[in-house]
Amino acid sequence: MQIGYMRISKGEQTTAHEARCVSESSCRKNLSRCDEWSQGDRPQFQAMLDFARPGDTIVVWRLDRLGRSLKHLIETVMGLQARGINFRSLTEHVDMSTPGGKFTFHLFGALAEMERDVIR
């Protein structure tokens, strides 16, 4: 099963664009969350992790939707892989079920962290 996960940082933002992209990728279950990453309270994120089973794929619009930092992103994806759960990011065309996807994941993860730091 493909599970879509969407996240926005501020209440005035919307997940509409993410939802459209994720739904076009045939996700059967979608979870979304408006949260401040620094607060650490992410019930929908945890619900997504708890719901996913071996053979499932977590789908996000962009890499930075899944992790607070490069370290957190890598830990999360490696934890998913250890449980037999695949990961896909639509914008960066990352599919962790392929060697090229694994390489691209690490490359774009670093770029996403830099972009977030520049914005701050």
Side-chain angles (χ1 to χ4, degrees), residues 25 27 33 43 51-52 85 100:
S25 70
C27 289
R33 171 82 176 140
F51 182 81
I85 299 166

Short mmCIF file of all heavy atoms in Angstrom, two decimals, residues 25 27 33 43 51-52 85 100:
data_model
loop_
_atom_site.label_atom_id
_atom_site.label_comp_id
_atom_site.label_asym_id
_atom_site.label_seq_id
_atom_site.Cartn_x
_atom_site.Cartn_y
_atom_site.Cartn_z
N SER A 25 -0.42 9.99 -7.15
CA SER A 25 0.50 8.85 -7.12
C SER A 25 -0.16 7.59 -6.57
O SER A 25 0.50 6.63 -6.21
CB SER A 25 1.76 9.18 -6.32
OG SER A 25 1.44 9.27 -4.95
N CYS A 27 -1.95 6.94 -3.79
CA CYS A 27 -1.88 6.59 -2.37
C CYS A 27 -3.26 6.20 -1.87
O CYS A 27 -4.25 6.86 -2.19
CB CYS A 27 -1.35 7.76 -1.56
SG CYS A 27 0.39 8.07 -1.85
N ARG A 33 -0.38 16.93 8.53
CA ARG A 33 -0.13 17.54 9.83
C ARG A 33 0.33 18.97 9.64
O ARG A 33 1.18 19.26 8.80
CB ARG A 33 0.96 16.74 10.56
CG ARG A 33 1.47 17.37 11.81
CD ARG A 33 0.56 17.09 12.97
NE ARG A 33 1.14 17.64 14.18
CZ ARG A 33 0.43 18.25 15.10
NH1 ARG A 33 -0.85 18.40 14.96
NH2 ARG A 33 1.02 18.71 16.18
N PRO A 43 1.80 13.87 16.12
CA PRO A 43 0.98 12.65 16.18
C PRO A 43 0.68 12.03 14.82
O PRO A 43 0.63 10.81 14.70
CB PRO A 43 -0.29 13.10 16.89
CG PRO A 43 -0.30 14.57 16.82
CD PRO A 43 1.12 15.02 16.69
N PHE A 51 1.23 2.96 11.24
CA PHE A 51 0.32 2.33 10.27
C PHE A 51 1.08 1.52 9.23
O PHE A 51 0.61 0.47 8.78
CB PHE A 51 -0.52 3.41 9.58
CG PHE A 51 -1.51 2.86 8.61
CD1 PHE A 51 -2.72 2.35 9.05
CD2 PHE A 51 -1.23 2.84 7.25
CE1 PHE A 51 -3.65 1.83 8.14
CE2 PHE A 51 -2.14 2.32 6.35
CZ PHE A 51 -3.35 1.81 6.79
N ALA A 52 2.27 2.00 8.82
CA ALA A 52 3.02 1.37 7.73
C ALA A 52 3.47 -0.04 8.10
O ALA A 52 3.89 -0.31 9.22
CB ALA A 52 4.23 2.23 7.38
N ILE A 85 9.90 -1.19 4.70
CA ILE A 85 8.99 -0.18 4.15
C ILE A 85 9.78 0.70 3.19
O ILE A 85 10.85 1.21 3.54
CB ILE A 85 8.38 0.66 5.29
CG1 ILE A 85 7.58 -0.25 6.23
CG2 ILE A 85 7.50 1.78 4.73
CD1 ILE A 85 7.22 0.39 7.55
N GLY A 100 19.87 3.97 -7.70
CA GLY A 100 19.89 5.38 -8.09
C GLY A 100 19.06 6.23 -7.16
O GLY A 100 19.42 7.37 -6.85
#
